[in-house]
């Protein structure tokens, strides 16, 4: 399509007729004698600009009747527009462009149609020639209009000085109106009417009517400002703006739709009476503010948070106790204490109809299933589940939230979790509660006291919400690796349930039932591609893992599956691979862990002790050496204060009975002792290495060999009494892992042996002692010495334990 220009004579006037590409303009009207800038993003408009830019750069700019409409037809455009020349085109992000045009003359489109091949609108348009009337009358209207324009532009106060200067230099009425209307804040319909009018006098009349309307609007604005200003102090600028906006709303009769929507939501939410009243007051405050005000945003954010919280929404618990137990059995086996406690809670809830939820704390090493059992509890009770990790939390505001006076304030993570749950009775997991710390911003443990206290959490107050929230129906479950880092007041509010590590048999069963099938699916394999034998699983456990849980075991099984997956990817006809002990070593290489047989040899000053850590039990060797010196004792191995005191107590006991052991009492002043616990990079503390240190010291002083096939644990006093210790199960499992068959324990821990797995009791002989003299007799020989005998029977059926591993535990050190 070309721009075929031709001339036509009508009413003794010459009109220019042309074919133009059409540019639809939203929200603006283009006038001659002015420059207009606009952005273009629609495809048809981009094509129209491209076509014009390739030719004479002329376009017909027509205003769009409905500005919000994207897909338009020819009927959606005004037929009168402005012919303009494209002066500049600039590329914007996203494929859009910015166009600067110079208005040339008005034109009326005879016809607007779509260019079939080009994909844009074009128009056949005639230039609108102004029709002049009585020159005297026209001049009178023109002068009146210029005076009115000065008043209007002066009252507006936002017109550029260049526009004033340009208007002063214009002597033609048509050009003056074009420039003045462009600079004024006038509605699109009025501007279009002035553009379309061809008779100059009628056009001046329209222009003057528009100017008078603008002056009247300015007077009303001044009246509103004057009315407000009489009621307030001039220094209260913010309050003045609000009152002015209120007066404007009153003049326009505009009540605000957003406030009405909030009011309807608050009334429909069925909030507590006082909270509902508080929210309605906040909505009334909003109605007096400008939406762009920062306080308006704060109030709307507050209302959104309040309305998002569950206040009355509640899920229904599982009806039958048997259904609850079935879900727990399907997800985990063992963990009888946890299953029994959840069943008790559900039973009492059904009998009473209402009870405060218990606060449970699962304590155990990493990878034993603490987090997964919490998820299973939620599924068993048919409740929503929310998890909140407390690892590294050190700001009290993380729990209680921030006051609304702070910029960017938000509710605490407790309220955030309740919002995500959508009900008032979810299962809420507080993971890693032993990892919280405190700093200058407050102590999160102090904030949790209210959350985890059944007597207080019915009125938990978040600083952002500023209203008591009922947490009494929430079943809070916490997890921890150790209780020692949990503050005593917080620990006192929780019901502690210990989740211990696994035996070899339990790990084998877990791997066979759960881990292997899970990793087969994860790596695209089936039972037809790969199977595990029992000795293969045992080889993976013994040679490549050293943990209380099964997390590393799961990764090891995954490694085996991936290596087999590589073989199947290279050869799809590969027969089913059986992973036995030999295959495990072939795929994983030499075992990482082996039982050190030399540790069972008798040595002077070396005794095996048992310790508890945050990741399970472990064995450690206490070494003691004597040398000539000044009677000093040196303790190394990054020992804590309690452990150092245990060594001093042991030495004092031996010195007090030196003659009994054939030692020269005066020789201590000439002998130095060095007590060392290997793995010096790991912090160690606790009193239960007391008898181990005493035995190692006596062995070094008397130069008698101590037995290496016996491990021990127990605290020693200055009178030689052996006091009870904790973590017996974890320590016994550690002894079994390294092949120790005899363990010396305090007499008061004898009752704890009955709670150990049957397989442990069958393989390890536990010797209870009440005095350290019994330990010396067993380890160094002498009165009462009796060589321990190996157990006669071995358990065949492992105790069932949980399967799914948890995440996020770290080792904090060794606790003896």
């Amino acid at each position: 399509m070309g721009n075929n220009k031709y001339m036509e004579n009508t009413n003794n006037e010459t009109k220019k007729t042309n074919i133009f590409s059409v540019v639809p303009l939203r929200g603006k009207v283009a006038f001659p004698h002015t420059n207009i800038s606009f952005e273009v993003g629609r495809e048809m408009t981009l094509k129209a600009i491209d076509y014009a830019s390739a030719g004479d750069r002329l376009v017909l700019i027509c205003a769009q009747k409905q500005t919000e409409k994207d897909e338009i037809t020819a009927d959606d455009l005004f037929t009168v527009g402005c012919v303009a020349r494209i002066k500049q085109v600039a590329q914007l992000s996203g494929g859009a462009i910015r166009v600067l045009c110079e208005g040339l003359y008005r034109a009326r489109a005879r016809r607007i149609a779509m260019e079939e091949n080009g994909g844009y609108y074009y128009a056949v348009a005639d230039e609108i020639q102004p029709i002049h009337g009585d020159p005297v009358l026209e001049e009178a209207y023109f002068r009146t209009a210029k005076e009115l324009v000065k008043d209007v532009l002066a009252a507006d106060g936002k017109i550029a000085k260049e526009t004033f200067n340009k208007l002063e230099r214009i002597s033609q009425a048509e050009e003056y109106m074009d420039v003045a209307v462009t600079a004024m804040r006038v509605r699109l319909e009025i501007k279009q009417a002035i553009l379309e009018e061809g008779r100059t006098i009628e056009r001046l009349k329209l222009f003057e009517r528009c100017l008078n309307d603008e002056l009247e609007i300015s007077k009303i604005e001044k009246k509103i400002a004057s009315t407000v200003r009489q009621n307030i102090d001039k220094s209260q600028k913010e309050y003045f703006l609000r009152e002015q906006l209120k007066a404007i709303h009153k003049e326009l009769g505009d009540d605000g739709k957003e406030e009405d929507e909030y009011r309807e939501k608050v009334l429909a939410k069925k909030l507590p009476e006082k909270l509902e009243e508080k929210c309605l007051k906040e909505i009334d405050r909003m109605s007096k503010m400008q939406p762009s005000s920062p306080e308006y945003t704060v109030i709307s954010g507050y209302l959104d948070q309040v309305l998002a919280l569950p206040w009355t929404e509640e899920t229904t618990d599982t009806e039958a106790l048997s259904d609850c137990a079935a879900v727990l059995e399907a997800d985990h086996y063992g963990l009888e204490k946890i299953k029994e406690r959840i069943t008790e809670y559900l039973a009492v809830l059904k009998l009473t109809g209402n009870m405060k939820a218990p606060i449970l704390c699962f304590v155990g090493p990493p990878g034993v299933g603490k987090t997964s059992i919490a998820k299973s509890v939620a599924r068993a009770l048919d409740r929503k589940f929310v998890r909140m990790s407390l690892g590294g939390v050190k700001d009290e505001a993380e729990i209680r939230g921030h006051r609304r006076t702070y910029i960017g304030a938000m509710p605490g993570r407790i309220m955030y979790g309740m919002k995500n749950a959508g009900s008032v009775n979810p299962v809420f997991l507080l993971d890693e509660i032993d990892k919280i710390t405190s700093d200058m911003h407050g102590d999160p443990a102090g904030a949790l006291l209210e959350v985890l206290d059944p007597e207080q959490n019915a009125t938990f107050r978040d600083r952002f919400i500023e209203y008591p929230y009922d947490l009494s129906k929430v079943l809070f479950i916490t997890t921890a690796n150790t209780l020692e880092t949990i503050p005593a007041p917080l620990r006192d509010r929780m019901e502690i349930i210990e989740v211990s590590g696994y035996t070899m048999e339990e790990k084998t069963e877990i791997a066979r039932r759960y881990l292997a099938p899970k990793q087969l699916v994860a790596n695209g394999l089936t039972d037809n591609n790969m199977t595990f034998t029992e000795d293969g699983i045992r080889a993976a456990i013994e040679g490549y893992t050293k943990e209380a849980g099964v997390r590393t075991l799961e990764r090891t099984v995954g490694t085996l599956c991936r290596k087999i997956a590589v073989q199947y990817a290279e050869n799809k006809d590969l027969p089913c691979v059986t992973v036995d002990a030999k295959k495990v070593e072939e795929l994983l290489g030499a075992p990482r862990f082996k039982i050190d047989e030399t540790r069972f040899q008798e040595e002077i000053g070396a005794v095996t002790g048992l310790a508890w850590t945050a990741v399970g039990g472990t064995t450690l060797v206490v070494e003691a050496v004597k040398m000539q010196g000044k009677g000093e004792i040196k303790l190394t191995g990054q020992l804590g204060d309690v452990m150092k005191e245990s060594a001093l107590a042991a030495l004092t006991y031996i010195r007090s009975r030196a003659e009994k052991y054939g030692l020269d009492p005066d020789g201590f002043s000439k002998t130095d002792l060095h007590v060392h616990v290997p793995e010096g990079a790991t912090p160690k503390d606790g009193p239960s290495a007391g008898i181990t240190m005493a035995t190692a010291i006596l062995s070094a002083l008397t130069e008698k060999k101590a037995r290496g096939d016996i491990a021990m644990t127990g605290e020693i006093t200055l009178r030689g009494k052996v006091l009870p210790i904790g973590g017996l199960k974890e320590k016994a499992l550690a002894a079994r892992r390294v092949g120790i068959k005899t363990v010396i324990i305090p007499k008061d821990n004898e009752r704890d042996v009955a709670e150990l797995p049957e397989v442990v009791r069958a393989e390890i002989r536990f010797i209870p002692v009440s005095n350290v003299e019994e330990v010396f007799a067993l380890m160094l020989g002498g009165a009462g010495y009796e060589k321990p005998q190996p157990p006669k029977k071995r358990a065949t059926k492992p105790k069932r334990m949980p399967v799914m591993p948890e995440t996020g535990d770290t080792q904090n050190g060794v606790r003896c």
Side-chain angles (χ1 to χ4, degrees):
M1 182 187 74
N3 285 1
N4 302 317
K5 298 181 181 178
Y6 57 91
M7 308 296 289
E8 182 180 273
N9 191 292
T10 304
N11 297 331
N12 297 322
E13 294 180 350
T14 300
K15 294 183 178 180
K16 288 187 289 185
T17 303
N18 207 343
I19 301 176
F20 303 96
S21 53
V22 177
V23 174
L25 199 60
R26 291 195 277 196
K28 291 183 179 181
V29 177
F31 283 87
H33 311 105
T34 62
N35 290 330
I36 183 168
S37 176
F38 53 89
E39 292 184 7
V40 176
R42 289 184 285 189
E43 187 66 25
M44 63 177 179
T45 311
L46 290 170
K47 291 181 177 180
I49 295 295
D50 289 342
Y51 175 78
S53 298
D56 55 13
R57 304 181 71 84
L58 295 179
V59 293
L60 177 62
I61 302 177
C62 296
Q64 189 173 312
K65 295 177 182 178
Q66 297 178 345
T67 58
E68 71 280 356
K69 199 170 183 181
D70 286 328
E71 301 293 332
I72 61 172
T73 63
D75 294 334
D76 293 318
L77 300 175
F78 289 106
T79 56
V80 175
C82 177
V83 175
R85 176 177 286 107
I86 299 173
K87 296 179 67 177
Q88 184 179 351
V89 176
Q91 291 291 334
L92 303 177
S93 61
I97 61 174
R98 176 173 289 280
V99 182
L100 176 63
C101 294
E102 178 187 7
L104 301 178
Y105 57 85
R106 296 179 293 159
R108 177 176 280 106
R110 294 183 183 180
R111 180 168 66 93
I112 300 176
M114 176 65 73
E115 169 62 38
E116 295 181 359
N117 297 326
Y120 60 88
Y121 283 106
Y122 72 92
V124 178
D126 300 328
E127 180 183 3
I128 298 178
Q129 295 285 355
I131 301 174
H132 297 283
D134 184 352
V136 176
L137 184 61
E138 185 175 310
E139 180 65 22
Y141 274 116
F142 182 34
R143 291 182 181 181
T144 304
K146 287 199 289 185
E147 294 300 321
L148 288 172
V149 167
K150 291 180 182 179
D151 295 339
V152 171
L153 296 184
D156 189 292
K158 297 180 180 179
I159 306 301
K161 187 176 181 180
E162 292 79 5
T163 305
F164 280 107
N165 296 335
K166 185 177 181 180
L167 290 172
E168 289 292 332
R169 294 193 298 267
I170 298 175
S171 59
Q172 297 297 324
E174 293 289 339
E175 182 180 354
Y176 189 91
M177 285 187 285
D178 291 338
V179 175
V181 172
T182 301
M184 292 168 52
R185 294 182 297 168
V186 183
R187 295 199 309 274
L188 184 141
E189 294 81 4
I190 297 176
K191 286 188 176 184
Q192 184 66 31
I194 293 175
L195 179 71
E196 293 181 359
E197 183 56 58
R199 295 166 295 177
T200 302
I201 292 179
E202 292 301 319
R203 197 175 185 216
L204 283 166
K205 288 180 180 179
L206 282 174
F207 185 48
E208 287 188 22
R209 191 177 305 123
C210 171
L211 293 172
N212 284 317
D213 289 343
E214 288 299 311
L215 282 175
E216 186 63 27
I217 292 173
S218 297
K219 291 179 181 179
I220 293 175
E221 288 179 343
K222 291 180 180 180
K223 180 182 177 182
I224 293 172
S226 177
T227 303
V228 174
R229 198 175 292 111
Q230 292 175 1
N231 299 327
I232 61 174
D233 190 277
K234 292 182 180 180
S235 63
Q236 296 176 305
K237 181 179 179 180
E238 182 180 357
Y239 184 69
F240 163 73
L241 293 174
R242 292 175 182 173
E243 289 294 318
Q244 187 181 45
L245 183 62
K246 179 180 178 181
I248 291 172
H249 283 314
K250 185 176 181 180
E251 191 77 16
L252 297 176
D254 182 13
D255 294 331
K257 294 182 179 179
E258 187 174 4
E259 291 82 359
D260 292 339
E261 291 177 0
Y262 274 123
R263 190 173 284 104
E264 291 176 2
K265 291 179 180 178
V266 168
L267 295 175
K269 185 71 174 178
K270 297 181 180 178
L271 300 172
E273 183 178 352
K274 291 185 178 180
L275 181 59
E276 181 178 296
E277 182 181 346
K278 177 183 176 67
C279 291
L280 293 176
K281 286 182 179 179
E282 295 289 345
I283 294 173
D284 291 339
R285 288 181 61 205
M286 284 181 66
S287 63
K288 301 172 185 177
M289 300 177 186
Q290 190 175 358
S292 59
S293 168
E295 186 66 16
Y296 187 97
T297 305
V298 170
I299 295 176
S300 63
Y302 173 77
L303 294 172
D304 289 337
Q305 293 292 344
V306 170
L307 294 172
L309 284 171
W311 295 92
T312 56
E313 298 85 350
E314 186 174 354
T315 57
T316 303
D317 289 336
T318 303
E319 287 293 331
L321 295 178
S322 58
D323 294 340
C324 175
V327 172
L328 292 174
E329 287 292 340
D331 290 352
H332 299 78
Y333 64 91
L335 287 182
E336 301 301 333
K337 290 183 180 180
I338 296 178
K339 294 177 182 178
E340 182 181 350
R341 186 64 186 87
I342 297 302
T343 305
E344 290 172 355
Y345 165 69
L346 191 59
V348 175
L349 183 62
K350 291 188 176 300
L351 292 176
T352 62
N354 184 25
M355 71 169 291
K356 294 178 180 177
I359 312 296
L360 305 179
C361 180
F362 300 158
V363 181
V368 295
K370 300 187 294 296
T371 300
S372 63
I373 191 63
K375 292 180 182 178
S376 296
V377 168
R379 199 165 76 87
L381 296 176
D382 199 17
R383 292 189 180 189
K384 299 294 182 66
F385 177 76
V386 182
R387 176 181 175 271
M388 171 182 166
S389 178
L390 294 174
V393 173
K394 55 184 178 180
D395 188 353
E396 182 186 4
E398 292 270 3
I399 308 298
R400 291 188 181 275
H402 297 83
R403 292 183 178 86
R404 284 193 287 158
T405 52
Y406 295 101
I407 297 176
M410 291 292 290
R413 294 171 66 180
I414 297 295
M415 291 293 98
Y416 183 78
M418 294 302 297
K419 182 178 71 172
N420 289 342
S423 67
V424 297
N425 62 335
V427 174
F428 203 126
L429 175 65
L430 299 174
D431 216 359
E432 314 290 359
I433 196 170
D434 57 326
K435 307 297 190 302
I436 55 177
T437 57
S438 61
D439 64 359
M440 59 183 293
H441 299 290
D443 185 3
L448 285 174
L449 290 177
E450 182 181 2
V451 176
L452 300 180
D453 191 339
E455 300 299 326
Q456 300 182 45
N457 61 11
T459 56
F460 174 72
R461 184 180 288 271
D462 186 274
R463 289 171 179 163
F464 184 87
I465 302 299
E466 295 179 331
Y467 189 84
Y469 190 86
D470 187 2
L471 296 174
S472 62
K473 295 182 180 180
V474 179
L475 177 56
F476 283 104
I477 295 178
T478 66
T479 67
N481 297 133
T482 176
L483 294 175
E484 298 192 6
T485 56
I486 303 176
L490 186 59
R491 188 167 64 243
D492 183 60
R493 285 164 167 78
M494 300 185 292
E495 184 177 336
I496 308 299
I497 299 179
E498 293 187 2
V499 185
S500 301
Y502 301 129
T503 64
M504 169 66 72
E505 290 72 20
E506 290 164 349
K507 289 182 180 181
T508 303
E509 191 69 13
I510 289 169
R512 185 182 66 82
R513 291 189 183 188
Y514 297 92
L515 304 186
K518 177 182 176 182
Q519 289 298 323
L520 285 174
V521 173
N523 290 280
L525 300 173
T526 65
D527 292 338
N528 297 325
N529 304 128
M530 180 180 182
T531 58
F532 288 87
T533 64
E534 183 173 346
D535 67 317
I537 295 175
R538 283 180 171 270
I541 297 171
E542 292 177 342
Y544 303 91
T545 69
K546 189 178 181 181
E547 58 178 347
V550 292
R551 188 171 295 142
T552 304
L553 175 59
E554 183 175 13
R555 288 194 291 266
T556 303
V557 173
T559 301
L560 292 169
C561 292
R562 288 193 297 273
K563 291 186 178 296
I564 298 300
V566 171
Q567 297 180 15
Y568 271 98
E570 295 173 349
N571 181 11
K572 294 184 178 181
D573 298 327
L574 189 70
C576 179
V577 178
T578 300
V579 180
D580 53 15
K582 183 178 180 181
K583 192 69 174 179
V584 168
E585 186 168 348
E586 176 186 332
L587 294 172
L588 298 181
R592 295 170 55 196
F593 306 106
K594 289 184 177 180
I595 296 178
D596 184 8
E597 299 293 342
T598 61
R599 72 183 303 159
F600 300 131
Q601 298 176 0
E602 296 183 351
E603 292 186 65
I604 296 175
V607 180
T608 302
L610 298 174
W612 178 92
T613 73
V615 294
T618 186
T619 59
L620 51 83
V621 177
V622 176
E623 300 175 342
V625 175
K626 71 173 182 176
M627 65 202 82
Q628 290 184 349
K630 301 177 181 179
E632 297 177 350
I633 181 171
K634 189 174 184 180
L635 305 171
T636 58
Q638 201 172 160
L639 308 183
D641 291 339
V642 176
M643 201 168 182
K644 290 178 179 179
E645 291 172 358
S646 295
L648 296 176
L651 179 59
T652 301
Y653 176 81
I654 293 172
R655 290 186 64 179
S656 67
R657 291 163 174 76
E659 294 180 355
K660 178 179 179 180
Y661 305 125
L663 300 174
D664 180 9
D666 297 329
F668 285 97
S669 60
K670 302 176 183 178
T671 304
D672 285 352
L673 277 175
H674 186 167
V675 178
H676 177 69
V677 182
E679 297 185 22
T682 304
K684 309 168 190 70
D685 202 2
S688 62
I691 62 173
T692 310
M693 288 185 167
T695 305
I697 292 172
L698 184 59
S699 173
L701 292 174
T702 60
E703 298 183 0
K704 289 184 178 180
K705 292 183 177 180
R707 297 187 58 176
D709 59 343
I710 301 178
M712 64 187 70
T713 178
E715 179 180 355
I716 188 175
T717 70
L718 290 176
R719 295 176 294 166
K721 294 184 178 296
V722 180
L723 302 183
I725 46 86
L728 180 61
K729 180 180 178 181
E730 304 298 337
K731 294 177 179 179
L733 292 177
R736 184 172 182 255
R737 278 198 297 269
V738 299
I740 290 177
K741 301 299 182 182
T742 306
V743 174
I744 298 174
I745 62 173
K747 182 74 174 177
D748 291 340
N749 286 109
E750 191 173 9
R751 60 181 181 275
D752 298 328
V753 175
E755 298 183 7
L756 297 178
E758 183 181 349
V759 64
V760 176
R761 289 186 278 116
E763 291 189 11
I764 297 179
R765 179 187 179 190
F766 293 93
I767 302 177
V769 297
S770 57
N771 193 282
V772 73
E773 295 295 339
E774 300 175 58
V775 180
F776 294 159
L778 288 167
M779 296 296 295
L780 305 176
Y785 171 75
E786 177 185 355
K787 185 175 181 180
Q789 300 296 322
K792 297 180 180 179
K793 61 179 180 179
R794 176 187 175 97
T796 58
K797 185 177 180 181
K799 182 180 178 182
R800 302 179 69 188
M801 294 295 288
V803 55
M804 297 304 293
E806 58 163 358
T807 60
D809 295 290
T810 58
Q811 181 173 359
N812 294 322
V814 177
R815 184 75 176 174
C816 297

